[in-house]
Amino acid sequence: MLYSQNHEGSPGPQGSAVRNPREGPWTRTERNASGPAAQALPAASGVSPRPPLPARRFGSAMEQDDPAEALTELRERRLGALELLQVAAGSGLVAYAVWALLLQPGFRRVPLRLQVPYVGASARQVEHVLSFLRGRPGKMVDLGSGDGRIVLAAHKCGLRPAVGYELNPWLVGLAWLHAWRAGCAGNVSYRRENLWKVSLRNCYNVSVFLAPSVLPLLEDKLQAELPEGARVVSGRFPLPTWQPVAVLGEGLDRVWAYDVRSGGPAGQAVPGPNSASVPGAPNSQVG
């Protein structure tokens, strides 16, 4: 057996060349040289032919002397069916974790037909709500207050007290965080309570951003509990049988305002004497 020597260009085991450390790493041309082209290298160059490297496979040890090439190869490589399945499973696990941590805690105590998913109100929706409530006296409540943005904005525009009812503990904590950052933590209130069990008998300003499936049941609650002179502002979807006194916005930014007046069953919403109907409002009759 032959042993490599320490001088430049000396043969190593089995006739392979030993690279002098002062010359740096092998170049790709030198590394892959074989066949007649390799034999044509001048003997004076001190470079002996080296067997070609085997084809690279994903997951094998990458050569440390060419990281840029390895990264390019990974980018250009297409995922197989098994790998795509693993990516899909991982994405589903992340989605379930978000559901379990942020949304499910607020739904466990509510019947399925009364559950409402959380979708935060946009800045334009918040402004439209406040345009119908700004300057009105009395308590303001947001049913299903989410991250508390409507309650916080209501307090800033002069609606006092402003209270939000939200069953999800994570969203209640987020609402308190927003209030603390705004310097209003001692002036607003966020309560972890089921909105279907909250008494509305002393509430004169109510905002709701709920799903259409629960609005008929909400109408019954509002009719039974709200005092005369109260105003309800519904965002995204109108109350199904109440006649709005005003409508503002377009698309998902649209909000409907309803005033509770006398002249019918307790809590029935009819246009008040100082409210002007807006063209384009629904023409449904009062239930």
Side-chain angles (χ1 to χ4, degrees), residues 243-262:
Q243 177 67 40
V245 297
V247 182
L248 182 62
E250 298 292 337
L252 291 179
D253 292 331
R254 175 173 289 191
V255 297
W256 291 259
Y258 306 87
D259 286 345
V260 178
R261 302 292 184 190
S262 60

Side-chain angles (χ1 to χ4, degrees), residues 107-128:
F107 286 164
R108 291 172 180 168
R109 297 163 51 187
V110 179
L112 181 61
R113 68 191 183 96
L114 299 181
Q115 293 180 5
V116 180
Y118 165 69
V119 180
S122 66
R124 186 178 298 274
Q125 290 170 342
V126 174
E127 180 56 35
H128 288 171

